């Protein structure tokens, strides 16, 4: 079960995304048209996801010392589970919350980290980290005279510098959306700021892992759905991921959604045994050519060992899919139990 999610992330997504920004439209017609374009661009978070992965992939110091392509691949898989339903602002905000809570706060307890509760709260996080950044800059300059300490000191400096810049970019987004005059330079574009938030989050994570290898576990919590509020599609994608299917296309996602729907119908009246999940899985397990197509859709399924008793490729694919769908159903059942626990906790909360 995932850790408790900050209140800000449990609210309506609009309250942490573009909808959380009070718009003040300029009188200048060109600026008004550009601002409409800004708001339209912010509806899509995919470039923000790409920037986050790029931040992990590209070692900013140019010496490839900290590169971790395995972490970039894992981040890509987690973002695939997360999906692209959120807007660019909410994705940038959630990345900073993840960075502050699950990376810096958990693995660097000496840092004065605060978790933003709104987009503008990014400026508060930057201010909180500024004194530590100044100390790290001085320590890095001093350590440069002593070779054996230089790498660690530089990494600590870059960790804080990237974190502060990410938070500052987040805090600047409302001001970038609300313009008074036309701005021809891309650097003033709010989508550009969202992308910089993401890339700096990726860089910070990269340096965090270099300093504290256990911080790599934070990727497991990246975009992890809340068990109570997650939609059907996201629960299905998370179940695929839990079953080891980290690369999947539309066919496998449709299958997972069908399984979520079947399980929810079966358990609508209340908690059910695990056998119900397996029965729901059996009912939607693909057969023959459909099974072949879905096995080919994911390298994780294609690489699974085919049963030696299968006499045809289609029969082997059916067996592989049957096992995979059962694993997905098992995760859905455990997820449903977590949803029940969360619902009971809410019902028993003070004031209810």
């Amino acid at each position: 079960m995932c850790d408790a999610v900050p209140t800000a992330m449990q609210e309506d997504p609009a309250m942490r995304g573009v909808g959380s920004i009070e718009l003040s439209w300029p009188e200048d017609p060109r600026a008004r048209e550009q601002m409409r374009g800004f708001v339209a661009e912010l509806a899509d978070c995919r470039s923000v996801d790409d920037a986050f992965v790029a931040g992990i992939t590209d070692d900013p110091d140019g010496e490839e010392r900290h590169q971790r392509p395995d972490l970039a691949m894992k981040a890509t898989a987690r973002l695939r589970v997360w999906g692209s339903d959120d807007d660019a602002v909410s994705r940038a905000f959630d990345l900073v919350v993840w960075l502050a809570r699950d990376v810096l706060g958990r693995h660097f307890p000496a840092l004065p980290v605060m978790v933003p509760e709104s987009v503008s709260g990014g400026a508060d996080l930057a201010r909180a980290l500024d004194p530590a950044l100044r100390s790290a800059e001085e320590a890095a300059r001093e350590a440069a005279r002593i070779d054996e300490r230089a790498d660690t000191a530089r990494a600590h400096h870059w960790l804080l510098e990237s974190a502060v810049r990410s938070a500052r970019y987040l805090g600047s987004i409302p001001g970038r959306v609300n313009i008074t005059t036309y701005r021809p330079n891309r650097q003033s574009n709010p989508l550009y700021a969202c992308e910089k938030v993401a890339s700096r989050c990726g860089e910070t994570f990269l340096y965090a892992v270099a300093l504290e290898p256990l911080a790599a576990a934070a990727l497991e919590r990246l975009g992890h759905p809340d068990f109570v509020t997650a939609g059907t599609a996201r629960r299905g994608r998370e179940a695929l991921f839990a079953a080891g299917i980290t690369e999947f296309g539309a066919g496998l996602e449709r299958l997972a959604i069908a399984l979520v729907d079947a399980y929810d119908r079966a358990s609508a009246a209340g908690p059910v045994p695990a056998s119900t999940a397996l029965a729901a899985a059996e009912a939607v397990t693909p057969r023959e050519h459909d099974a072949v197509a879905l096995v080919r859709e994911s390298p994780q399924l294609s690489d699974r060992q085919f049963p030696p008793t299968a006499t045809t490729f289609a029969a082997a694919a059916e067996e592989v899919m049957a096992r995979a769908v059962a694993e997905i159903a098992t995760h859905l059942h455990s997820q449903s139990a977590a949803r029940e626990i969360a619902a009971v906790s809410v019902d028993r909360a003070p004031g209810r």
Side-chain angles (χ1 to χ4, degrees):
M1 189 185 304
C2 66
D3 296 331
V5 181
T7 303
M9 295 183 70
Q10 294 178 349
E11 296 172 351
D12 183 335
M15 297 310 295
R16 67 184 195 280
V18 178
S20 69
I21 300 173
E22 185 176 350
L23 300 180
S24 178
W25 295 94
E27 295 182 3
D28 181 354
R30 290 183 70 200
R32 288 177 69 89
E33 188 61 30
Q34 186 178 45
M35 189 167 156
R36 289 192 189 95
F38 285 168
V39 173
E41 286 179 339
L42 291 171
D44 192 337
C45 71
R46 285 175 293 185
S47 67
V48 180
D49 287 352
D50 292 342
F52 176 70
V53 175
I56 297 175
T57 303
D58 301 329
D59 191 350
D61 66 10
E63 298 181 18
E64 302 183 356
R65 287 179 294 179
H66 304 297
Q67 283 187 336
R68 289 289 302 273
D70 58 319
L71 295 181
M73 290 177 62
K74 192 166 188 177
T76 300
R78 287 303 311 168
L79 290 168
R80 189 179 294 112
V81 169
W82 200 342
S84 56
D85 296 334
D86 295 335
D87 64 42
V89 177
S90 60
R91 182 55 51 87
F93 170 73
D94 285 349
L95 283 171
V96 172
V97 168
W98 167 81
L99 181 72
R101 182 194 62 206
D102 293 326
V103 180
L104 300 180
R106 187 177 296 243
H107 298 284
F108 299 88
L111 293 178
V113 176
M114 52 80 63
V115 179
E117 295 185 358
S118 66
V119 175
S120 59
D124 297 328
L125 173 59
R127 282 192 291 271
L129 291 174
D130 261 334
L133 171 60
R134 290 194 294 271
S135 296
E137 288 173 337
E138 179 60 34
R141 283 194 294 269
E142 180 65 26
R145 303 174 190 147
I146 310 172
D147 290 344
E148 61 267 24
R149 291 175 47 206
D151 282 352
T152 298
R154 277 198 298 264
H156 187 68
H157 172 210
W158 290 329
L159 168 98
L160 282 161
E161 183 175 64
S162 294
V164 167
R165 289 187 178 183
S166 178
R168 284 176 180 161
Y169 273 116
L170 179 67
S172 77
I173 291 172
R176 291 169 185 262
V177 173
N178 288 296
I179 59 176
T180 56
T181 58
Y182 177 78
R183 299 176 180 178
N185 56 318
R186 181 172 177 268
Q187 285 73 14
S188 62
N189 187 318
L191 180 60
Y192 172 85
C194 291
E195 292 166 352
K196 294 300 288 184
V197 168
S199 64
R200 290 295 185 175
C201 280
E203 290 175 10
T204 306
F205 175 64
L206 192 66
Y207 288 124
V209 174
L211 290 165
E212 177 49 75
L214 292 177
L219 275 184
E220 296 292 345
R221 296 180 293 277
L222 178 67
H224 202 292
D226 175 71
F227 289 123
V228 176
T229 62
T232 300
R234 192 163 175 198
R235 287 171 59 205
R237 292 192 298 267
E238 183 68 29
L240 284 168
F241 186 88
I245 306 169
T246 59
E247 296 175 68
F248 49 84
L252 282 167
E253 186 168 343
R254 284 193 297 269
L255 173 64
I257 292 171
L259 183 51
V260 173
D261 286 336
Y263 181 81
D264 285 352
R265 285 193 300 271
S267 60
V272 295
S275 58
T276 299
L278 296 177
E282 186 175 356
V284 301
T285 298
R287 308 296 179 188
E288 298 181 346
H289 297 298
D290 289 338
V292 173
L294 292 179
V295 165
R296 287 174 171 169
E297 195 175 283
S298 170
Q300 287 81 35
L301 290 175
S302 300
D303 290 343
R304 290 192 177 189
Q305 185 175 2
F306 283 3
T309 55
T311 56
T312 65
F313 186 75
E318 280 189 16
E319 289 289 333
V320 168
M321 286 307 307
R323 291 197 302 269
V325 172
E327 292 166 11
I328 295 169
T330 299
H331 175 75
L332 285 175
H333 184 63
S334 66
Q335 184 188 61
S336 180
R339 287 163 64 88
E340 291 294 332
I341 293 170
V344 169
S345 299
V346 170
D347 286 340
R348 293 178 179 174
R352 291 188 67 90

